[in-house]
Amino acid sequence: MNILVINAGSSSLKYQLFDMTRETVLAKGKVERIGMETAMLTHEPADRPELREVSEIWDHTTAIRKVLRILVDPKEGVLASMEDVHAVGHRVVHGGETFSGSVRIDDVVKREIRRLFDLAPLHNPGALTGILAVEANLPHVPQVAVFDTAFHQTMPPVSFRYAIPNVFYKKHGVRRYGFHGTSHQYVSERAAQRSGKPLDDMKMITCHIGNGASVAAILNGKSLDTSMGMTPLEGLMMGTRSGDIDPAIVPFAMDKEDLSLGEVNSMLNKHSGLFAVSGGMGDMREIVEAASEGDRNAKLAFDMYEYRLRKYIGAYAAAMNGLDTLVFTAGVGENSALLRKTVCERLTFMGVKLDDAANESGTGGDRRISADDSQVDVWVIPTNEELMIARDAFREASASSECEGQANPDSTAPSPAL
Ligand code: ADP
């Protein structure tokens, strides 16, 4: 079975095509600048050089059509015909309290994704546009929605509620939802597998630290707490996002700098974090380099980033009353030996002991970087959210086609419980 994974944003769309018999990627690519004359399709077949094509692409439906055409192109393609796309999995950022797992998309699911626009105005509209665009091009192919928030739906009220009046939760859904769920789930399952231990008997902390960053406390395989909140702004310091701040700073900044709500929102999301503290660098590689050359602002940015991450790890170990496995993933987590070393060297009180050589060597692939006598296993596990989405789409599409087969081959599949 071939699964097409789509991650659609407001003006871009990324795709990966998987052959699920061996879980291999046949091709991947993206369409950028949708809605402009100079939209660009980048297509990378697994066994041939990358191809780039600039053309007018005014909407997502046309973008998907372009992607499908290139996938079946006699020269650049990897499929004989569009019928070889057997199901499509979509990354959807916000599933609210409705979705605690992946679901086959039907009218009810689409309506619900639309209802959640309020909670993820920057993300959910793009995902729905992608779903409708696939529907327009491949009307008979099953589509599955995989939510960033779903894995964290196991959080208890003690972690997900904010200490503000009930009306905000009851009427407006103001609570912690958490994000990067697909990644936290993937790396936690993989770490358990690689350690040969049962996930349902582990106290694990997973650190997904890339441009966006979040930590999760995973107790017995279930998300107990996570640092991102109602939106992906809360928690760790990130590339351009502030992470945790005193909420009173918002009205204060509005008053002192005469800013509108929208301007404060943009300041906290796009002009804060590493970027703000370092004085214009949002990329961790640049910061590490500048700090090593004596740039004090870059050094402070790195130190704050590390300190805040370490505080969360300490807090989540306390939340679980212990820790046996710590996992690093995403751009910074997978690639920065310096960040991992700085964090782990200051967690010796919890029994963390790094194997310096293992931390410095190995690139790519899963690797254990703790010493043999460390009380906490420390792992670097490259995340693979697309594979996780493909697996869920494969499972949900197979399950519902079996249902259809058993019930009545001509009937529409029943919509799964939300
Ligand atoms: P996104 O959240 O956009 O998916 P990624 O997971 O790709 O982000 O992570 C991007 C971040 O990873 C950037 O800040 C980049 O500097 C950082 N990064 C990548 N390679 C390295 C490296 N070798 N050392 C330090 N940071 C790195």
Side-chain angles (χ1 to χ4, degrees):
M1 195 186 236
N2 298 320
I3 306 280
L4 180 62
V5 172
I6 301 281
N7 182 352
S10 56
S11 67
S12 71
L13 182 154
K14 293 186 198 143
Y15 64 92
Q16 276 197 31
L17 180 71
F18 285 85
D19 171 356
M20 294 309 284
T21 46
R22 264 170 282 137
E23 293 194 333
T24 48
V25 177
L26 300 174
K28 62 181 177 179
K30 58 188 171 194
V31 184
E32 294 164 286
R33 301 196 292 265
I34 298 172
M36 295 172 73
E37 276 174 36
T38 55
M40 181 158 74
L41 167 72
T42 309
H43 175 68
E44 291 177 60
D47 54 356
R48 270 156 291 155
E50 176 183 299
L51 169 118
R52 286 171 184 224
E53 211 180 272
V54 176
S55 63
E56 289 178 5
I57 300 180
W58 295 113
D59 55 32
H60 285 68
T61 308
T62 317
I64 293 276
R65 196 176 312 131
K66 280 246 170 212
V67 169
L68 293 170
R69 280 210 189 122
I70 199 109
L71 288 174
V72 301
D73 184 87
K75 193 157 153 264
E76 306 296 343
V78 291
L79 297 176
S81 86
M82 288 191 201
E83 272 152 36
D84 293 333
V85 176
H86 301 117
V88 179
H90 291 267
R91 176 187 181 212
V92 183
V93 165
H94 221 302
E97 287 192 327
T98 316
F99 300 103
S100 55
S102 302
V103 283
R104 171 101 177 243
I105 297 170
D106 60 11
D107 288 343
V108 179
V109 172
K110 281 185 284 185
R111 214 176 306 132
E112 195 56 23
I113 292 173
R114 190 187 296 279
R115 198 182 62 79
L116 293 165
F117 279 7
D118 258 3
L119 289 175
L122 300 178
H123 295 102
N124 272 26
L128 184 63
T129 313
I131 290 166
L132 298 174
V134 170
E135 202 171 82
N137 284 284
L138 299 170
H140 303 297
V141 172
Q143 299 198 72
V144 174
V146 181
F147 301 90
D148 266 24
T149 49
F151 177 62
H152 299 301
Q153 276 298 300
T154 50
M155 285 189 293
V158 71
S159 1
F160 77 66
R161 286 293 299 273
Y162 292 116
I164 59 174
N166 276 351
V167 62
F168 290 99
Y169 173 54
K170 298 276 182 229
K171 195 167 160 202
H172 303 292
V174 175
R175 51 157 285 178
R176 176 182 313 286
Y177 290 97
F179 298 87
H180 293 142
T182 315
S183 176
H184 288 294
Q185 184 178 2
Y186 176 80
V187 299
S188 60
E189 288 177 4
R190 190 121 183 125
Q193 228 175 44
R194 295 300 310 266
S195 339
K197 293 180 186 160
L199 183 58
D200 58 8
D201 190 23
M202 289 176 87
K203 293 174 174 174
M204 197 184 291
I205 293 177
T206 50
C207 309
H208 176 112
I209 44 177
N211 271 325
S214 66
V215 195
I218 301 176
L219 181 61
N220 304 330
K222 296 199 165 68
S223 176
L224 172 73
D225 204 346
T226 189
S227 58
M228 283 179 168
M230 182 178 101
T231 75
L233 182 58
E234 192 182 344
L236 297 174
M237 178 171 159
M238 307 179 216
T240 61
R241 283 174 243 169
S242 64
D244 297 334
I245 61 164
D246 178 345
I249 293 171
V250 172
F252 184 86
M254 289 172 75
D255 181 38
K256 295 291 176 196
E257 289 288 317
D258 199 19
L259 300 176
S260 67
L261 261 182
E263 284 166 333
V264 175
N265 203 22
S266 164
M267 182 265 280
L268 295 174
N269 276 288
K270 299 188 181 147
H271 306 286
S272 296
L274 288 173
F275 177 82
V277 178
S278 69
M281 291 173 259
D283 189 297
M284 185 54 98
R285 276 166 296 199
E286 251 186 287
I287 284 172
V288 169
E289 200 182 318
S292 73
E293 287 163 1
D295 183 324
R296 283 202 199 155
N297 293 331
K299 170 93 172 60
L300 176 62
F302 180 88
D303 289 348
M304 283 173 65
Y305 185 95
E306 181 278 326
Y307 177 70
R308 286 165 173 235
L309 171 61
R310 187 158 38 91
K311 280 208 302 188
Y312 262 102
I313 295 171
Y316 285 171
M320 293 188 290
N321 192 18
L323 176 66
D324 48 55
T325 307
L326 176 64
V327 182
F328 290 96
T329 192
V332 179
E334 290 167 32
N335 297 302
S336 180
L338 176 67
L339 191 273
R340 295 191 301 257
K341 182 178 161 72
T342 318
V343 168
C344 291
E345 272 181 355
R346 294 162 185 178
L347 293 175
T348 47
F349 81 97
M350 296 195 316
V352 173
K353 192 166 166 197
L354 211 58
D355 174 337
D356 281 326
N359 182 44
E360 297 289 339
S361 61
T363 49
D366 309 334
R367 51 206 190 274
R368 204 178 77 155
I369 58 168
S370 46
D372 287 345
D373 58 346
S374 178
Q375 285 167 39
V376 177
D377 276 345
V378 185
W379 284 86
V380 177
I381 308 269
T383 192
N384 196 341
E385 289 159 288
E386 290 77 12
L387 175 59
M388 197 77 184
I389 295 172
R391 282 179 183 164
D392 277 18
F394 177 57
R395 193 190 57 238
E396 293 300 322
S398 312
S400 41
S401 63
E402 271 166 30
C403 277
E404 278 173 47
Q406 282 163 13
N408 169 3
D410 298 326
S411 73
T412 323
S415 86
L418 296 184

